[in-house]
């Protein structure tokens, strides 16, 4: 291989595929990225067996070839090179020579033959979504997946398409987060569980433009995301997702409309009195258009009143403050509506169009 | 105690004294700060027994009194309060009530009687220095103190005043960093060893204005720094500092003048090939106005040429790249001059006026 390219172009492409390089792996080859140089195109590939990413970099190709090279080291060296033009040469024994200005690096690579290339994903139906929207709905739900690998399904998000509606769901046994959006076109039904880690990495790579689109393809075992010349392939999680629709209800006994920022800031303050391990609930007492929030711990106590618009009788209910904070942080509305039945039943935070639904289970508390 | 003050004023003062609060202490009272409210003045005090800080906060005092309160918790609560005006009340059993807007916090404090107040420092001679300069000379030398507590003297910096000259010295057995400045006036001689940790914290608190001054006082056991209404008292390190003057020499056999940024960037790049634990030297080979830098490790090798202005014969010499980087980073000159004798003797980086001298010992290497 003998190629010349721009340092920043190369760095940007490396940063994309780096998302699929594991920190430490029992298979050292996975800590490499593959540079594949064929038909005057230069492709970078990384794959951690769950998530694989391919992208291109603009380059002048003097000689074809390919090599696997330690991804982190290669990335850092390229980033710190002195000038814009980088020349990369490799030989038959997978030695790499990087030349940039007067700086010369010699690195030992590996044969790419042992590297697990990305699986082929059959393209039956291409679902289009804006990069901005996809990134947003991931960020607005991903916090409520579980990190407990014992329950694999909870570590992923349900992605469901019906007609022109796309719904994304995350749950961890204590809460459910749902976002619903309209697609521009209608599609054949899709129902897949995508690993949370994959979605996290995708949301970091997406350029996020409103007008930039992502093409999504789904097969039985894989999801493929294509955008800006980049290909992201993820394994799917096997199994049946929870039947969440039967947990959702439009009824309520008490409804409270509250200023989101005021509510969020107050809960945020209350958490100062709670150590992460303590699990002290914040207690909301709503009566006569006033919500009193209080928390009590070994460190001290807090009390604060917030004005609300209330429908229904008085209610006192306790929550893990973290769960309320997570949901409120990603809601963009100035005012939010909370729906309650009783102190033992879940609370719903949702808008009228149900473009978002956050279900949070209450916790027991001693008055 | 019953006081009302501005949230940001209070937060700023807390942040200053926080620098003297230990992360974790076997004496829980040291994790507190003391609020002392007397003669319509509100003083905050923290002390970790090596470093003590006192500062004032503007407040309306309705009732005098004092309390010790967990510094970290108090700081976080104040920072997150909803409005500008904060009221703080304490009672005889050291319960604290913080009220701000509709938010109310109750915290348990402690009697300040057990708190070790700052030692009185006798003010014999007041040495004046600009905050900007003091902060700068600390930052330009502090990296070369040792963190090995077994050799206490190396964990501090020598501060020496002769006439109108102030010199600050840090050394760790492999290198010496020296900064020298002119004071506006002449003083009686001073020679003290100040703990590095203290200097670090002071450099963070100093507002850094050119026209803002610090008054320094020294006794046998303490140094006192006064600025902006804040008082910082540090214990001194006992013992005799190293006789560094006999290690400094104005002679040289080889002199090289090099562009600082080019030199620094090149060494910086070379460290990518070295794991922290490996201690691979960077090798400089100077001949005919060219400095060749190279490094070789298990990860690969690097080679780069830099143009220099050279006096004297060819020399090949190896260094810990970290030591060169540390010194070059804090030198503001565009060009630096390096002085060498032979591959076994220390290298000096210094300017003509000797406002800075960085002595670095070379390391052995195999060609």
């Amino acid at each position: 291989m003998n190629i010349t390219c721009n340092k920043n172009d190369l760095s940007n492409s490396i940063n994309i595929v780096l998302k699929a390089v594991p920190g430490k792996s029992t298979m050292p080859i996975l800590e490499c990225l593959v540079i594949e140089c064929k038909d005057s195109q230069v492709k970078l590939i990384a794959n951690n067996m769950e998530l694989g990413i391919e992208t291109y970099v603009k380059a002048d190709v003097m000689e074809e070839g390919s090599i696997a090279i330690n991804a982190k080291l290669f990335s850092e060296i390229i980033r710190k090179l002195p000038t814009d033009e980088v020349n990369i040469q490799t030989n038959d024994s997978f030695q790499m020579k990087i030349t940039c200005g007067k700086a010369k690096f010699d690195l030992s690579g590996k044969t790419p033959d042992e590297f697990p290339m990305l699986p082929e994903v059959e393209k039956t139906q291409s679902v289009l979504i804006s990069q901005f929207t996809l990134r947003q709905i991931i960020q607005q739900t991903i916090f409520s997946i579980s990190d407990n690998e014992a329950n694999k399904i909870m570590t992923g998000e349900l992605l469901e398409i019906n007609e022109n509606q796309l719904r994304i769901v995350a749950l961890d046994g204590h809460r459910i987060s749902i976002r619903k959006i309209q697609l521009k076109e209608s599609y054949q039904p899709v129902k897949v569980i995508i690993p949370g880690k994959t979605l996290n990495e995708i949301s970091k790579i997406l350029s996020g433009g409103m007008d930039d689109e992502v093409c999504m393809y789904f097969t039985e075992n894989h999801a493929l995301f294509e955008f800006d010349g980049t290909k992201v392939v993820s394994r799917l999680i096997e199994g049946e997702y929870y039947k969440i629709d039967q947990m959702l209800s439009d009824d309520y006994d008490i409804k409270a409309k509250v200023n989101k920022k005021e509510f969020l800031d107050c809960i945020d303050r209350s958490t100062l009195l709670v150590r992460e391990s303590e699990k002290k609930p914040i207690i909301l007492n709503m009566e006569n258009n006033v919500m009193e929030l209080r928390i009590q711990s070994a460190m001290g106590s807090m009390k604060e009143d917030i004005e609300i618009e209330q429908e229904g009788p008085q209610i006192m209910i306790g929550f893990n403050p973290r769960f309320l904070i997570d949901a409120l942080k990603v809601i963009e509305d100035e005012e939010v509506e909370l729906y309650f039945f009783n102190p033992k039943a879940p609370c719903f935070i949702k808008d009228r169009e149900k473009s978002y639904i956050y279900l949070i289970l209450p916790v027991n508390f001693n008055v």
Side-chain angles (χ1 to χ4, degrees), chain A residues 125-129 158-168 181 183 185-192 216-218:
Chain A
Q125 168 178 262
S126 143
V127 178
L128 278 180
I129 182 171
L158 175 71
L159 187 149
E160 215 176 12
I161 298 169
N162 278 308
E163 307 277 331
N164 67 340
Q165 240 179 56
L166 183 149
R167 185 166 79 153
I168 187 162
I181 55 157
L183 300 171
E185 288 171 49
S186 285
Y187 297 96
Q188 293 296 314
V190 172
K191 193 172 180 183
V192 294
M216 306 189 285
Y217 304 89
F218 303 96

Side-chain angles (χ1 to χ4, degrees), chain A residues 292-310:
Chain A
E292 183 202 78
L293 298 97
R294 52 195 171 80
I295 203 160
Q296 191 149 21
S297 79
M299 286 195 249
S301 63
M302 192 207 79
K303 211 173 77 112
E304 189 163 346
D305 287 346
I306 294 180
E307 282 172 33
I308 59 173
E309 275 177 45
Q310 185 172 358

Side-chain angles (χ1 to χ4, degrees), chain A residues 19-21 46-53 118 197-199 201-202 205 225 232-235:
Chain A
K19 303 283 188 294
V21 177
N47 189 356
N48 65 21
M49 305 307 279
E50 185 154 88
L51 172 68
I53 305 179
L118 268 56
K197 278 183 200 151
T198 301
L199 291 172
E201 298 306 343
I202 289 178
I205 310 171
F225 301 82
V232 179
V233 180
S234 169
R235 268 182 188 283

Side-chain angles (χ1 to χ4, degrees), chain A residues 23-66:
Chain A
K24 206 75 194 148
S25 173
T26 47
M27 286 172 68
I29 188 79
L30 299 187
E31 291 171 27
C32 292
L33 61 82
V34 167
I35 309 176
E36 197 180 81
C37 176
K38 216 163 64 182
D39 307 331
S40 26
Q41 285 199 308
V42 178
K43 187 154 80 174
L44 304 183
I45 309 154
N47 189 356
N48 65 21
M49 305 307 279
E50 185 154 88
L51 172 68
I53 305 179
E54 273 183 17
T55 196
Y56 289 91
V57 55
K58 224 172 74 187
D60 289 331
V61 178
M62 276 77 77
E63 194 191 317
E64 299 190 338
S66 58

Side-chain angles (χ1 to χ4, degrees), chain A residues 164-302:
Chain A
N164 67 340
Q165 240 179 56
L166 183 149
R167 185 166 79 153
I168 187 162
V169 180
L171 61 80
D172 66 2
H174 304 285
R175 52 182 167 169
I176 308 177
S177 301
I178 305 171
R179 285 277 170 170
K180 208 165 66 186
I181 55 157
Q182 305 284 327
L183 300 171
K184 280 188 197 142
E185 288 171 49
S186 285
Y187 297 96
Q188 293 296 314
V190 172
K191 193 172 180 183
V192 294
I193 309 171
I194 307 177
K197 278 183 200 151
T198 301
L199 291 172
N200 238 330
E201 298 306 343
I202 289 178
S203 78
K204 286 180 206 155
I205 310 171
L206 288 169
S207 69
M210 246 329 188
D211 298 329
D212 301 321
E213 290 198 308
V214 187
C215 281
M216 306 189 285
Y217 304 89
F218 303 96
T219 63
E220 213 189 309
N221 296 313
H222 291 99
L224 164 62
F225 301 82
E226 280 188 355
F227 52 96
D228 306 337
T230 297
K231 226 164 124 173
V232 179
V233 180
S234 169
R235 268 182 188 283
L236 296 178
I237 296 176
E238 286 174 48
E240 184 78 22
Y241 203 73
Y242 302 90
K243 294 192 172 38
I244 57 152
D245 290 307
Q246 59 202 42
M247 305 181 213
L248 308 177
S249 159
D250 281 339
D251 296 339
Y252 63 89
D253 287 335
I254 302 117
K255 177 176 159 185
K257 192 167 168 182
V258 52
N259 178 289
K260 193 204 77 170
K261 189 174 179 322
E262 214 178 322
F263 190 34
L264 177 57
D265 287 351
C266 177
I267 304 169
D268 192 32
R269 269 193 288 284
S270 77
T271 57
L272 297 175
L273 294 175
V274 189
R275 284 196 199 83
E276 202 63 56
S277 54
E278 256 187 324
K279 299 207 171 132
K280 281 278 172 192
I282 184 161
I283 296 161
L284 317 184
N285 187 17
M286 285 158 274
E287 194 171 11
N288 296 330
N289 292 322
V290 175
M291 182 195 284
E292 183 202 78
L293 298 97
R294 52 195 171 80
I295 203 160
Q296 191 149 21
S297 79
M299 286 195 249
S301 63
M302 192 207 79

Side-chain angles (χ1 to χ4, degrees), chain A residues 22 67 75 83 85 89 121 153 160 168 182 194 201 232 238-239 255 314 326 340 347 357 362 364:
Chain A
I67 188 170
S75 147
T83 63
E85 199 178 276
Q89 295 184 37
V121 175
I153 287 180
E160 215 176 12
I168 187 162
Q182 305 284 327
I194 307 177
E201 298 306 343
V232 179
E238 286 174 48
K255 177 176 159 185
Q314 181 267 350
D326 285 344
F340 306 92
C347 153
I357 303 177
N364 288 327

